[in-house]
Structure formats: structure tokens, C-alpha cells
Amino acid sequence: MTDGRNRKPSVQTRTAQALHYVEEETGAVIPAIQPTATYARDHNYSTRKPYWYRRDGSQTTQQAESILAELEGAGDTLLFSSGMSACTAVIESLAPGAHVVAPEVMYHGVRQQLLGYEAKGRLTLSPYTAGNLEELAAAVRPGETALVWVETPNNPNWEVTDIAAAAKIARDAGARLITDCTATPPSMTRALDFGADISFHSATKFLNGHSDVTAGALSVREADAGFEQIAEIRKLQGTVLQSFDAWLLIRGMRTLFLRVERASKNAAAIARHFDGHEHLDAVLYPGLPSHPGHEVASRQTGGQIGAMLSLIVKGSEQTAIDVARFCEVFYPATSLGGVESLIEHRKTVSGEGFPVHERLLRLSIGIEDADDLIHDLEQALARAAR
């Protein structure tokens, strides 16, 4: 029997304690906010830390990056001022004319960015149906494809892609794999462990969890020249995450495991309740055994699945909009991953030209009482149907 002195605390404990942070001078257990825009060099005119100006980073941002790197099992993590700025840095790092493979349906902002770069001749883009590995393999060009983009589960239909299988397809073609697992944060899915080269998260969402920060994160197992180039792009564009937002993100990550567990349980209860409902054509949720990606999702998330689901409402597009309007507990708002539950009519938000069902409602489930959320949806569906 051991005394436990050599036992390393779990990632849950390390995250809850912000990596057991203690401020040396005062003993404070909460990391400080370092707001300075510039840093004095030492008496040898050397930089004291790996940053000398705010665009390089800060003590607070670096602490948040260290916590997230541990969550991801990463060698290095970079934080950006938004998820889109992180994605743009990856795209900007590609050589002119690079070939990219990405899902036909994915987060609409990244999709618009990829299409925009293609229209300018900066890259060539080949789409595939999310979750379809045969189409993914067919879209890849061995020796030519530079980047394979996987979002799993895919927003807003929640198709599931096998990350390990996608990583092999990319690797065999000489391409890098980037995975967007925003809907399944690293308390559930560590994409790097499944073979991804870059793990991306919109840290605005579950990582922060309080709807008061915009942030993006990129993590890698080992920082190579390509990742250093992305870091340089972040510096030149000035898109490093600012100190106060980094401090809020640290605050949010400390409760990540608790929040995600509760929200995922709520989502599963809601999905089961409304599966086969008289006012719905479908419930899109990988946690349902009938979902084609259920087995892969269960394996990649340790059975937790996640807190995102969508409903296809019977009736017209206006019926779906009315359901969102009539909710009294759900907020009719755009985003996801916060402690409060949100409902949105996705076509209204994503705009014309985005391939989404006109009667799809996207739900981000929070940590409220699940019965309250179910009752709210029931009354909204009944009112809209009338």
C-alpha cells in the first residue's frame, strides 16, 4: 500500500485548480489579470518572458493556454480573440493554391471563409458529406491535399465523423487533419489522442461556458514550423486573446467537467422525451441509439455525447420560428455551450445559401432543470401547432 505522495492529480483536479495556481508573492489562488501592453526588458536587455508586446501574449493568456494544453493532452496551445480568427490563421498559413477538403455542411462562418478564399484563388476546395468517410477519401488528392477539415459532431445536423479514420485518410495522403470538436470539448473528446494534427475549439462556447467571452483555440501535440507560422500570423494580425477574456476563460474552464456533464445529461433526457413526438419530424442527437453515428460518438466522447441537438418541426418554416418565439425558458439566441439553454432557427441565422433544413431548430442545452426545459418546449410546440 502506497502513501499516494507520487500520485499525479487527474486532469479534472488540475483544471479545477487552474493547474494548482498559487501567486508566489501573495499566495492568491486565482490567477491575476495582467493588462499591460508592453514589457520592460531586464538589465541585459533580454526579454523576461516569451513576449515583449501585447500581440505576443501575456502572463494571463499563457496561463489559460497552459490549462487548455493539459486538457487537450497537447504540447502547445494558442488562444485567439475569436474562433474565426483562429480558423483564419490556419487558412492563412496554407500555401497559395492549396487543396482543402471540408464538409459541405459545417459552421457557416468557416464555410463562408473557405468559399471566399476559393473565390479569390487562394485555395481549391473539395466538399464531402459530413460523416461519410468514403466521400472524404474520394475528395482527398494524395500528394496534393494540404488540409482535411473535420467537424464532429457537425453543426447543425450533428453528423458524426470517426476522427481516427479521418486521420488515417489525411495522413496517407500527406495532409494535415484539423478537427473542430467545439460541441464536444476536451472533457469529452481529445481529438489529438485520435490522431488529429490540430485540434480547434471555439472557446467562446463550452470551454468558457458563460456566454461572456469570444475566443478561439488551436492545439497540437508538438509545435512544428507550421504551428510557428500560425503563431506568427496571430502576432501580426493582433488576434491574440486579451488578458481579461483569458481570465474569464480560466474561470470558465475550472468548472468545465461539471457543466458539461450536467448539460449532456439534460440534452439526453430532452432527446429521449421528444424522439417520435407528434409535432416533430425528427430529433437529431447522436446520443439516440437510432442515430447512425451513435456508436462512434459514444466511443469518442466516453459515452457522454454532448449537449447539442436539433429538432425538425412539423409544419412550415414559420411554425419552426414560432416555436423559438414561444419559448419562455429557452433564450431565442445564437451561440452554444453556456450554462443557459438557447434555441435558434438556424436558417434565419445562417442566411440564404447555407444548406440547412428550413424547419430546423438548433438547441444548446444548459444546466437548468431538465423538466423545466421539456415543459417549455412542449408548450411552445403546442402553441405553434395551433
Side-chain angles (χ1 to χ4, degrees), residues 44-255:
N44 292 318
Y45 205 71
S46 298
T47 55
R48 302 165 191 258
K49 295 284 185 178
Y51 35 80
W52 54 271
Y53 190 62
R54 189 63 189 88
R55 284 188 290 115
D56 293 292
S58 75
Q59 178 180 342
T60 314
T61 302
Q62 189 175 55
Q63 180 71 13
E65 289 171 339
S66 297
I67 296 169
L68 184 50
E70 180 139 345
L71 275 166
E72 291 270 49
D76 201 1
T77 291
L78 292 172
L79 284 170
F80 294 75
S81 56
S82 70
M84 280 305 304
S85 62
C87 292
T88 300
V90 173
I91 299 169
E92 284 281 355
S93 73
L94 298 173
H99 181 238
V100 177
V101 174
E104 179 68 30
V105 179
M106 60 190 299
Y107 174 63
H108 72 283
V110 177
R111 183 174 183 270
Q112 289 175 353
Q113 189 78 308
L114 289 170
L115 290 172
Y117 273 65
E118 183 181 41
K120 295 175 183 177
R122 283 278 285 107
L123 55 83
T124 57
L125 184 64
S126 294
Y128 68 94
T129 300
N132 190 319
L133 293 174
E134 291 183 2
E135 286 192 20
L136 172 57
V140 168
R141 303 172 189 170
E144 183 180 347
T145 301
L147 188 68
V148 174
W149 204 294
V150 163
E151 183 181 318
T152 183
N154 269 77
N155 186 1
N157 298 321
W158 313 117
E159 299 96 342
V160 178
T161 298
D162 187 321
I163 298 172
K168 185 178 187 309
I169 292 170
R171 185 169 55 250
D172 290 348
R176 289 186 299 164
L177 175 70
I178 180 170
T179 59
D180 179 350
C181 295
T182 293
T184 52
S187 59
M188 302 166 58
T189 300
R190 301 210 312 183
L192 300 178
D193 290 350
F194 290 99
D197 296 294
I198 304 174
S199 174
F200 161 74
H201 285 272
S202 173
T204 308
K205 312 303 194 301
F206 286 101
L207 286 171
N208 175 56
H210 292 79
S211 302
D212 54 10
V213 165
T214 58
L218 299 173
S219 298
V220 292
R221 284 187 299 276
E222 187 175 337
D224 58 9
F227 200 63
E228 293 299 327
Q229 184 181 3
I230 291 171
E232 182 71 8
I233 290 169
R234 182 185 73 163
K235 179 173 75 171
L236 294 175
Q237 292 182 338
T239 55
V240 65
L241 186 65
Q242 296 298 300
S243 296
F244 182 61
D245 285 346
W247 184 83
L248 288 172
L249 179 58
I250 291 170
R251 178 271 335 253
M253 287 191 291
R254 294 179 75 160
T255 60

Side-chain angles (χ1 to χ4, degrees), residues 278-293:
E278 61 177 328
H279 295 316
L280 299 174
D281 278 337
V283 175
L284 309 179
Y285 183 64
L288 294 173
S290 58
H291 190 285

Side-chain angles (χ1 to χ4, degrees), residues 293-342:
H294 177 70
E295 187 276 328
V296 175
S298 298
R299 173 162 41 87
Q300 291 183 165
T301 65
Q304 202 166 72
I305 305 300
M308 297 301 301
L309 62 106
S310 294
L311 308 177
I312 307 295
V313 178
K314 286 182 178 179
S316 66
E317 180 176 351
Q318 186 59 49
T319 308
I321 294 172
D322 286 345
V323 173
R325 290 197 308 122
F326 294 156
C327 281
E328 297 173 355
V329 178
F330 279 84
Y331 290 89
T334 295
S335 194
L336 57 97
V339 295
E340 64 287 315
S341 294
L342 309 180

